[in-house]
Amino acid sequence: MIKIDLPRVIASPGTRTFEREQLVRAQSALDRGENHNRVLAQLEASLRPLALRNNLTPDVADLYLLLIHDPAAQQFDFAAHRISDVQHQDRAIFAGGCFWCMVEPFETMPGIVSVLSGYTGGTTAHPTYEQVKGGHTGHVEAVEVIFDTRQVTYDQLLQLYWQLSDPTDNSGQFSDRGANYRPVIFTTSAAQMAAATAARAHLAAHNPYRQPIAVDIRPATTFWPAENYHQQFYRKFPQRAKHLERERKQYLFWKRVTGKLLPKITSD
């Protein structure tokens, strides 16, 4: 028997009205003692049209994966994302477009402890994906990286960041348009601010781009974790992640052949 927490998803602020109506109807049927499997099958059928278009809100999408017994219905261990060694660990925050594409390159880098997708830089507490995507909170999609300073330096993280983003585009990243996708480096200390500022100046001085560097550098504010559905997206949905990565590469290629970027981004 599938164990799902309908009340939690019903209460989620990110759940849309139509989704909530289906969930409430299912919960009421269960409360009346109707057949559990039949009720869940009916719920799955009512959500399926939106699921097939990848248009369910995050918590409902997680629930749907449970209903169809999809292996992607896995929970991220949010409690494990923390600095456990204050002497040898630090955190860095980068925004460079859709956070789905930002996790794997950092997470697979030696010395990385944990990578968390989330929202930061805005004014709304506990924002939902729908709110951020709608541009109502001032937040950007970002990743928070906890790293072991004995194995990888902040400068090395910066070098990787320049390869993942288009630092000349402050109106979004690649095919993702809007202020919530703009590139920003959020620094957690004076040392990080100095390093990020120097790295940006070095990049601009060596002029590997045809347009000015537009990446903002700001002191970090509260980093709000994104919903479970968004965590480690590349592991749960490898085909969709590969498709997004291809789109990024094609977009960069287009910018280079149209003269908006030079043929190669240098890291000297």
Side-chain angles (χ1 to χ4, degrees), residues 50-236:
L50 290 176
L52 293 175
R53 297 196 295 272
N54 296 315
N55 199 27
L56 292 172
T57 54
D59 288 339
V60 180
D62 268 346
L63 183 147
Y64 186 82
L65 293 173
L66 284 173
L67 292 175
I68 63 173
H69 306 281
D70 193 308
Q74 53 188 271
Q75 293 294 310
F76 181 80
D77 187 0
F78 288 92
H81 182 82
R82 61 185 179 85
I83 292 178
S84 57
D85 183 343
V86 294
Q87 183 177 357
H88 298 118
Q89 292 178 3
D90 200 357
R91 67 188 183 102
I93 301 173
F94 301 103
C98 176
F99 46 28
W100 289 351
C101 299
M102 294 284 288
V103 174
E104 182 179 9
F106 283 110
E107 192 170 77
T108 54
M109 190 178 191
I112 302 303
V113 178
S114 179
V115 181
L116 181 69
S117 296
Y119 316 112
T120 192
T123 57
T124 302
H126 305 286
T128 67
Y129 178 71
E130 294 292 299
Q131 290 173 325
V132 175
K133 186 177 180 180
H136 307 306
T137 69
H139 290 288
V140 293
E141 292 189 13
V143 291
E144 182 179 69
V145 181
I146 296 177
F147 61 101
D148 188 325
T149 56
R150 295 167 297 184
Q151 300 181 55
V152 61
T153 66
Y154 184 67
D155 284 336
Q156 289 174 315
L157 298 182
L158 286 170
Q159 290 173 14
L160 175 59
Y161 173 74
W162 300 128
Q163 302 301 317
L164 300 178
S165 61
D166 174 3
T168 69
D169 188 353
N170 64 356
S171 298
Q173 283 290 287
F174 309 101
S175 59
D176 296 312
R177 314 314 302 162
N180 54 305
Y181 294 118
R182 67 190 185 278
V184 186
I185 298 173
F186 295 91
T187 60
T188 63
S189 66
Q192 284 192 7
M193 174 65 76
T197 302
R200 182 178 62 182
H202 179 82
L203 194 67
H206 283 68
N207 194 28
Y209 300 96
R210 295 190 188 278
Q211 296 176 320
I213 304 300
V215 175
D216 194 10
I217 301 174
R218 300 168 52 185
T221 55
T222 302
F223 186 90
W224 302 99
E227 297 86 345
N228 176 77
Y229 178 80
H230 297 299
Q231 304 303 329
Q232 296 181 317
F233 190 87
Y234 77 98
R235 291 189 183 185
K236 294 187 287 189

